[in-house]
Amino acid sequence: MDYYKLYFDLMEKHGHVEKPTDGYYERHHITPKSLGGTDEAANLTYLSGRAHFLAHWLLYKATGEAVMARAFFGM
């Protein structure tokens, strides 16, 4: 299974540049800082709590990195 494709599909479908006002949203680094991402606006998106959880699960599955496991299991 292509977890990276699923991850970027999730970002495209559920990510928001501006914080929506109609519910609960969390800020998410599209490319995590631990994998070389930055705090630049182009690397940040707003996701619902559920989408944020799924994003971290997909990153964990895609990379297999211990740092992604900690980020996912810490949610």
Side-chain angles (χ1 to χ4, degrees), residues 13-14 19-20 23 28 32-34 36-37 40 49 53 55 59 70:
K13 184 174 181 181
H14 296 283
K19 187 174 184 178
H28 175 72
K33 290 177 77 173
S34 60
E40 294 179 20
F53 179 83
L59 283 169
R70 283 191 298 276

Side-chain angles (χ1 to χ4, degrees), residues 12-73:
E12 185 176 323
K13 184 174 181 181
H14 296 283
H16 301 275
V17 174
E18 299 293 325
K19 187 174 184 178
T21 58
D22 65 337
Y24 175 76
Y25 288 86
E26 300 171 343
R27 200 87 190 249
H28 175 72
H29 287 87
I30 298 167
T31 300
K33 290 177 77 173
S34 60
L35 297 179
T38 66
D39 287 331
E40 294 179 20
N43 190 44
L44 295 169
T45 190
Y46 284 98
L47 298 171
S48 68
R50 180 178 182 271
H52 196 197
F53 179 83
L54 290 172
H56 278 274
W57 180 77
L58 288 168
L59 283 169
Y60 164 58
K61 295 295 280 184
T63 66
E65 297 283 334
V67 67
M68 291 293 97
R70 283 191 298 276
F72 169 65
F73 289 111

